[in-house]
Amino acid sequence: MFIIININITLAFPLSTDSRWIVDDGNKGRRVKLTCVNWPSHLEAAVAEGLSKQPLDSIAEKIVSMGFNCVRLTWPLYLATDETFSGVMTVRQSLRKFGLFEAISGVQVHNPSILDLPLIKAFQEVVSCLGRNRLMVILDNHISQPGWCCSDNDGNGFFGDKHLNPNLWIRGLKRMASMFANVSSNVVAMSLRNELRGPKQNIKDWYKYMQEGAEAVHSVNQNILIIVSGLNYATDLSFLRDRPFQVSFRRKVVFEIHWYGFWSSWKGEDLNKICRRETENIMRMSGFLLEKGFPLFVSEFGIDQRGSNVNDNRFLSCFMALAADLDVDWAIWTVAGSYYLRGKTIGPDESYGVLDWSWSSIRNSTILQMISAIQSPFRGPGLMETHPKKIIFHPSTGLCIVRKSLFQLKLGSCDKPESWRVSSHRVLSLSEEQIFCLKAYEKGKSVKLRLFFFEFYCSKWKPLSGSNMQLSSITKSGASVCLDVDSDSNNIVTKSCKCLEGNSTCDPKSQWFKLVTSTRSRFKPNPFLQISPYSKRFLQKSLSV
Ligand SMILES: *[C@@H]1O[C@H](CO)[C@@H](O)[C@H](O)[C@H]1NC(C)=O
Ligand SMILES: *[C@@H]1O[C@H](CO)[C@@H](O)[C@H](O)[C@H]1NC(C)=O
């Protein structure tokens, strides 16, 4: 099976894993980086959200135009196991049951062909439409009883809870996996269960049931990847250090984690320290799996798209640094700009939504542009255009250091960044034109490229502060400075190093730079850029900073 993801790239399905990478089925096994949006379809009505706001096709087109290549589509277990949901109840009836009359009229206007389909058929329509729009789909069993997820005591948290009967769960997974086995090649993966949690959770049962679930899915659909989440709301896979996940098949298992800023406080303390601590925690709980040779899919992260949530903004910069550095697969929460019903509220706005309330336009193109930096892969099988080298990534803008003129540097798109070598003396020189190195002049002035006759002509750049992301050097007059960005011109300059005293109100983000390993070549058009021509135009427009 083949699917054309954009004009440049044809992926051969099925997908499989090659150590820590997800790869396609071509003879070279080229990396496929999952860069997805979550599309909820597991709430009370058990209908994909947004169908009362926009035509299905136009939502799918928007997803493509925003540069995503895949959708993590959530489903409640009972949709596959309970006759009422799977055969009898229609979209109209389900919405009516909750008094969602405005939603009914909306679906009537925008998606009339779906309104009187049984819920499961409507779900299939969504999957096929995503396929027609060349989007890969990950089916995520999000909950059993349709409704907002998750809490410790909602009865959906762990095997043995009121709504998580392991046998029924296995039956539902098999039904879903076989339903899409032959019809929809764009269903590339299934995640077995979202955010296991609650008082019953334990490691022993986790192995027993997750291994069983994986075998069950594979037994009816050998094509798809099987995505496995850990304990404590998909944050903890640390137990895999000691005991492997054992299944009878190879190269199909991917692990997943969730990471939200609101799970901890990113304020009230030195942000450099918080970012370091949270990053180390991620590495300890799940990040180590990459080195063990498993792909790690950050299947939920997200931020308040209104841009005014300081905690989330701080989280996002730290997240971007790690996500670029590890070059992980990910899915943002969420495409949904609003819901039919959430809890008791009808038609609430979703401030974490990439689309606005009416699902018609992008809620915040600044944030989307930032995230687009991690939409195309930096490295991986099939992406070895050059030897591994470093690019200098600026996580709080999602931009990279690029050339402004022969000697001057600025922030620009990570599509074609300058690439660097770091010498043992911490001199940064251009990897493709090694005659140039990075030199700090006076504080407040631009840093420049300098012709590199001797190493002492160049500045040495030491990582500083708790985050290790502030690059410091000494000027000729002996001042200690850090790499920074001039906010008016986007030029790369040096300024006094910020926040080294650990002041909790201080914000060091403009001085964060991450050296990210990349094998892309600046001189070749990137054939792996998994974004559509439309979205590139959109990005260029919003990039004209
Ligand atoms: C899918 O196709 C394969 C072979 O083409 C067949 O053996 C299998 O039964 C089919 N599965 C379903 C669910 O139709
Ligand atoms: C988008 O987010 C940015 C950055 O966080 C913020 O400054 C801006 O006000 C937001 N824009 C809108 C339209 O919400």
Side-chain angles (χ1 to χ4, degrees):
M1 292 286 193
F2 287 87
I3 186 170
I4 298 171
I5 289 293
N6 72 12
I7 46 163
N8 294 324
I9 178 167
T10 304
L11 298 176
F13 287 160
L15 303 182
S16 56
T17 66
D18 175 1
S19 75
R20 59 146 294 187
W21 310 105
I22 295 170
V23 295
D24 79 351
D25 197 39
N27 53 9
K28 293 231 178 74
R30 187 163 53 183
R31 179 176 188 200
V32 176
K33 180 170 179 172
L34 301 176
T35 62
C36 322
V37 278
N38 278 277
W39 188 347
S41 180
H42 68 276
L43 273 70
E44 280 79 358
V47 177
E49 301 292 330
L51 301 186
S52 61
K53 296 285 199 290
Q54 293 294 324
L56 185 45
D57 224 29
S58 114
I59 298 172
E61 277 164 21
K62 286 182 214 298
I63 294 172
V64 173
S65 79
M66 292 187 288
F68 301 103
N69 63 13
C70 118
V71 169
R72 180 175 180 255
L73 184 63
T74 66
W75 58 282
L77 184 67
Y78 296 165
L79 179 65
T81 58
D82 184 324
E83 257 314 294
T84 318
F85 294 111
S86 58
V88 184
M89 194 184 292
T90 65
V91 169
R92 184 196 299 272
Q93 289 162 346
S94 184
L95 293 169
R96 189 189 291 146
K97 195 169 113 193
F98 295 98
L100 304 172
F101 300 106
E102 220 177 288
I104 295 177
S105 352
V107 178
Q108 179 83 62
V109 171
H110 295 294
N111 292 287
S113 64
I114 284 189
L115 192 54
D116 292 303
L117 292 183
L119 292 175
I120 192 76
K121 286 272 183 298
F123 188 83
Q124 290 167 343
E125 279 304 306
V126 173
V127 172
S128 335
C129 176
L130 294 172
R132 284 195 302 277
N133 283 277
R134 299 163 179 178
L135 286 160
M136 296 180 278
V137 172
I138 296 166
L139 301 176
D140 165 60
N141 175 219
H142 206 74
I143 197 166
S144 298
Q145 171 91 335
W148 185 256
C149 190
C150 303
S151 69
D152 274 353
N153 297 301
D154 60 12
N156 286 271
F158 199 73
F159 307 104
D161 279 358
K162 179 162 179 234
H163 291 293
L164 189 40
N165 172 326
N167 295 329
L168 194 67
W169 173 67
I170 298 269
R171 204 179 328 142
L173 287 178
K174 281 173 97 161
R175 172 116 203 271
M176 218 55 164
S178 51
M179 191 181 300
F180 294 101
N182 291 352
V183 278
S184 311
S185 65
N186 65 312
V187 174
V188 296
M190 269 177 80
S191 38
L192 297 181
R193 185 74 177 185
N194 180 65
E195 299 196 355
L196 292 165
R197 62 193 175 274
K200 287 217 175 76
Q201 63 177 335
N202 69 84
I203 293 171
K204 187 163 150 275
D205 285 349
W206 184 87
Y207 279 97
K208 175 174 161 47
Y209 294 119
M210 295 305 262
Q211 286 172 177
E212 254 178 65
E215 294 289 352
V217 168
H218 190 75
S219 72
V220 296
N221 188 338
Q222 281 85 47
N223 287 334
I224 53 184
L225 296 173
I226 292 174
I227 304 180
V228 179
S229 68
L231 298 175
N232 271 322
Y233 296 85
T235 59
D236 185 0
L237 288 159
S238 59
F239 40 85
L240 287 166
R241 231 185 259 282
D242 308 320
R243 183 177 156 195
F245 187 74
Q246 279 178 322
V247 284
S248 62
F249 50 90
R250 293 179 58 241
R251 299 190 54 186
K252 286 290 182 187
V253 173
V254 171
F255 292 102
E256 73 180 313
I257 58 162
H258 294 176
W259 192 13
Y260 285 106
F262 55 76
W263 280 346
S264 49
S265 172
W266 292 76
K267 294 186 288 191
E269 210 187 326
D270 176 4
L271 181 57
N272 280 315
K273 230 193 238 159
I274 301 176
C275 179
R276 180 193 202 131
R277 185 175 63 222
E278 295 290 326
T279 301
E280 283 172 356
N281 188 49
I282 292 284
M283 295 312 290
R284 195 168 50 242
M285 300 302 265
S286 57
F288 69 92
L289 288 164
L290 294 168
E291 276 182 14
K292 281 194 163 240
F294 292 98
L296 187 64
F297 175 41
V298 184
S299 58
E300 283 185 31
F301 78 98
I303 63 154
D304 188 332
Q305 299 271 332
R306 291 170 297 190
S308 50
N309 182 326
V310 177
N311 202 71
D312 271 4
N313 293 346
R314 290 179 148 217
F315 155 76
L316 184 62
S317 295
C318 184
F319 171 87
M320 290 288 287
L322 187 64
D325 187 27
L326 301 177
D327 204 4
V328 285
D329 303 89
W330 51 264
I332 193 170
W333 188 273
T334 168
V335 72
S338 54
Y339 301 102
Y340 305 121
L341 175 70
R342 178 175 158 176
K344 295 202 163 51
T345 317
I346 293 181
D349 186 51
E350 169 57 281
S351 54
Y352 282 58
V354 172
L355 293 178
D356 62 3
W357 183 83
S358 60
W359 292 59
S360 60
S361 25
I362 293 164
R363 192 175 287 261
N364 191 322
S365 53
T366 311
I367 294 175
L368 186 61
Q369 188 266 311
M370 191 178 153
I371 288 166
S372 75
I374 53 172
Q375 277 177 332
S376 40
F378 291 109
R379 57 201 162 105
L383 251 183
M384 285 293 285
E385 294 177 325
T386 71
H387 291 297
K389 57 216 167 12
K390 300 291 182 186
I391 59 173
I392 307 180
F393 180 61
H394 190 247
S396 70
T397 54
L399 297 174
C400 286
I401 293 189
V402 301
R403 204 78 157 258
K404 181 174 188 179
S405 58
L406 187 59
F407 296 109
Q408 282 222 315
L409 298 163
K410 61 170 188 173
L411 286 184
S413 157
C414 294
D415 267 7
K416 292 198 184 330
E418 291 300 326
S419 54
W420 305 84
R421 283 170 16 130
V422 188
S423 80
S424 54
H425 297 108
R426 304 291 311 176
V427 164
L428 288 166
S429 58
L430 289 185
S431 70
E432 278 141 349
E433 300 156 81
Q434 288 174 22
I435 47 167
F436 286 112
C437 65
L438 189 64
K439 169 91 176 163
Y441 291 87
E442 286 317 299
K443 189 191 293 181
K445 294 272 165 26
S446 294
V447 297
K448 288 196 182 132
L449 291 170
R450 191 186 199 295
L451 283 169
F452 181 176
F453 297 114
F454 301 102
E455 206 165 74
F456 64 80
Y457 282 16
C458 309
S459 301
K460 295 176 183 177
W461 297 93
K462 283 210 204 88
L464 210 66
S465 77
S467 65
N468 263 342
M469 285 194 278
Q470 284 167 274
L471 291 176
S472 77
S473 193
I474 308 287
T475 64
K476 204 166 159 193
S477 59
S480 172
V481 291
C482 275
L483 216 54
D484 207 327
V485 182
D486 180 86
S487 50
D488 296 329
S489 61
N490 256 1
N491 283 349
I492 306 301
V493 298
T494 55
K495 293 187 185 167
S496 301
C497 296
K498 288 181 186 169
C499 311
L500 297 184
E501 330 64 44
N503 182 341
S504 66
T505 55
C506 178
D507 188 345
K509 293 198 305 285
S510 72
Q511 292 189 346
W512 280 2
F513 291 89
K514 188 83 186 172
L515 296 174
V516 171
T517 305
S518 168
T519 57
R520 289 188 206 158
S521 167
R522 191 164 65 86
F523 298 111
K524 292 184 198 157
N526 181 354
F528 302 97
L529 216 55
Q530 293 170 359
I531 61 179
S532 71
Y534 174 85
S535 75
K536 275 183 87 170
R537 272 204 304 281
F538 157 73
L539 292 173
Q540 273 154 9
K541 227 169 45 196
S542 57
L543 250 176
S544 46
V545 274

